[in-house]
Amino acid sequence: MKRILPFSLIVIAAIVLSACGSMARQGASESAIEPMYDSAPMPMMAEAPASEEYYAGDVAQGGGGVAAANVERMIIENAEITIVVADVEARMEEIQTMATTMGGFVVSSNVYKTFRNNVEAPEATLTIRVPSESLNDALDQIKENAVEVQNETRSGQDVTAQYVDLQSRLKNLEAAERQLTDILETATETEDVVNIFNQLVYYREQIELVKGQMKYYEEAAALSAISIRIVAEATIQPIEIGGWEPQGVARDAIQDLIYFWQGFVDFLIYFVLNTVPVLITIGIPLYLVFLGVRALYRKMRGNRKKIEKVDEPEAKKKQQ
């Protein structure tokens, strides 16, 4: 048994080093792998997303055990859109039904009241997920019969490189798990069994984490998210009185009022933070100088009055 364990340990170490070598191409610094029978806890493996440059080189060389011909681009596509409709609640129900019919689902929905142009009307926000291949069709149906499309944004994220790296990492982790399982079946010493079992627990946790990340990428790429804001038509209608639309005048007046208070607040901030400290630093020394000069003047004036009082009797005597 003691002869088998060192040989098996070398095999496991070779598999683990191979996994580390695959991750090193991403630029991630992994902790050193502890001996298989060391009682110290196994270090956690750091996550490092792969770059596009690594993906291109890895696929060209068949890196990660995945042939270039078998690599399929994995793109996560999402969209945001704001539409104006006559009936907010009815349109929201239509969009929810559309998402379910397409094979997707509703992630969240919210209806609330808004008050614009002296009009109270409902407004809604909802997020749905539809199959990525149906994203264009879903957007077209959302915009269909809308009074206005105020905003439409689409975004895409290529996660092919990250997914290929996860596949490679999963393969190496599962190979290490199989080797540990074989060693555990032949181990007889209690200490060896406990140590190997602890290593198995660690590798199985890592396998589950990698599978969870892969599942997230798969679901995110398969189902595109659409965030929708539905605005009532009544809230965007301009106010009109006898052909005269005071909306522009009111907007300009409010804008001027905002500019005035903005300038006034800026002046107060500048005055408090700049002018007041300057006045304090200059005013206090000048005030102290003033007090000193005034005290000196009063003292000199008091001495002069004393001299005049002393000289006054002598002047009277001379006159007599």
Side-chain angles (χ1 to χ4, degrees), residues 244-271:
W244 171 55
E245 297 182 3
Q247 181 182 9
V249 178
R251 182 182 63 249
D252 294 340
I254 293 174
Q255 188 66 55
D256 291 341
L257 179 62
I258 293 173
Y259 286 152
F260 167 76
W261 283 110
Q262 181 180 358
F264 182 70
V265 172
D266 290 342
F267 166 75
L268 289 179
I269 294 173
Y270 185 83
F271 182 78

Side-chain angles (χ1 to χ4, degrees), residues 212-268:
Q213 293 175 357
M214 293 176 65
K215 184 178 180 181
Y216 167 77
Y217 283 138
E218 291 168 357
E219 292 180 351
L223 294 170
S224 297
I226 306 177
S227 298
I228 309 157
R229 178 169 171 251
I230 307 176
V231 181
E233 180 183 9
T235 60
I236 66 169
Q237 295 296 326
I239 301 174
E240 183 173 349
I241 304 173
W244 171 55
E245 297 182 3
Q247 181 182 9
V249 178
R251 182 182 63 249
D252 294 340
I254 293 174
Q255 188 66 55
D256 291 341
L257 179 62
I258 293 173
Y259 286 152
F260 167 76
W261 283 110
Q262 181 180 358
F264 182 70
V265 172
D266 290 342
F267 166 75
L268 289 179

Side-chain angles (χ1 to χ4, degrees), residues 46 92 100 126 138 177 186 193 204-205 213 237 267 273 303 315:
M92 185 179 69
T100 305
L126 70 155
E177 182 192 24
T186 58
V193 172
R204 285 168 182 167
E205 289 177 354
Q213 293 175 357
Q237 295 296 326
F267 166 75
L273 298 181
N303 293 335

Side-chain angles (χ1 to χ4, degrees), residues 9-291:
L9 181 60
I10 293 173
V11 174
I12 299 299
I15 296 174
V16 174
L17 290 174
S18 175
C20 292
S22 174
M23 296 179 65
R25 289 192 297 269
Q26 307 175 44
S29 57
E30 297 293 343
S31 302
I33 303 299
E34 297 292 334
M36 195 62 66
Y37 298 108
D38 193 353
S39 58
M42 193 70 175
M44 296 300 293
M45 304 175 86
E47 296 292 338
S51 62
E52 291 296 330
E53 290 79 8
Y54 164 69
Y55 163 73
D58 191 44
V59 171
Q61 300 175 6
V66 180
N70 295 331
V71 175
E72 183 179 354
R73 283 282 177 181
M74 184 172 289
I75 310 295
I76 298 177
E77 291 185 293
N78 298 319
E80 295 181 2
I81 187 171
T82 301
I83 59 174
V84 179
V85 299
D87 191 338
V88 172
E89 296 180 356
R91 194 53 180 274
M92 185 179 69
E93 293 179 0
E94 292 175 0
I95 294 174
Q96 291 174 338
T97 303
M98 176 204 69
T100 305
T101 304
M102 286 186 172
F105 57 92
V106 178
V107 178
S108 63
S109 63
N110 182 30
V111 180
Y112 50 92
K113 295 290 185 180
T114 59
F115 190 80
R116 296 180 184 176
N117 293 340
N118 297 323
V119 176
E120 185 179 10
E123 189 168 314
T125 57
L126 70 155
T127 301
I128 62 173
R129 282 192 174 272
V130 297
S132 57
E133 62 272 11
S134 303
L135 178 59
N136 292 331
D137 186 24
L139 290 173
D140 291 338
Q141 292 190 38
I142 292 171
K143 293 183 289 185
E144 186 177 0
N145 298 325
V147 176
E148 181 184 352
V149 178
Q150 292 186 339
N151 175 57
E152 181 179 358
T153 305
R154 294 186 59 170
S155 61
Q157 180 184 4
D158 189 348
V159 295
T160 312
Q162 291 89 327
Y163 190 79
V164 170
D165 291 331
L166 288 173
Q167 286 180 321
S168 177
R169 185 178 176 189
L170 178 63
K171 179 180 178 181
N172 287 295
L173 288 172
E174 288 177 340
E177 182 192 24
R178 287 193 296 269
Q179 291 292 335
L180 284 171
T181 302
D182 294 340
I183 295 174
L184 182 62
E185 292 176 354
T186 58
T188 57
E189 299 293 334
T190 303
E191 183 179 357
D192 294 341
V193 172
V194 172
N195 287 331
I196 296 173
F197 178 78
N198 290 334
Q199 301 298 324
L200 271 174
V201 170
Y202 166 77
Y203 277 104
R204 285 168 182 167
E205 289 177 354
Q206 294 301 309
I207 288 172
E208 292 302 320
L209 288 175
V210 172
K211 286 183 177 179
Q213 293 175 357
M214 293 176 65
K215 184 178 180 181
Y216 167 77
Y217 283 138
E218 291 168 357
E219 292 180 351
L223 294 170
S224 297
I226 306 177
S227 298
I228 309 157
R229 178 169 171 251
I230 307 176
V231 181
E233 180 183 9
T235 60
I236 66 169
Q237 295 296 326
I239 301 174
E240 183 173 349
I241 304 173
W244 171 55
E245 297 182 3
Q247 181 182 9
V249 178
R251 182 182 63 249
D252 294 340
I254 293 174
Q255 188 66 55
D256 291 341
L257 179 62
I258 293 173
Y259 286 152
F260 167 76
W261 283 110
Q262 181 180 358
F264 182 70
V265 172
D266 290 342
F267 166 75
L268 289 179
I269 294 173
Y270 185 83
F271 182 78
V272 172
L273 298 181
N274 182 272
T275 307
V276 171
V278 170
L279 292 176
I280 291 174
T281 54
I282 296 176
I284 290 178
L286 291 177
Y287 182 69
L288 294 176
V289 171
F290 169 74
L291 292 178

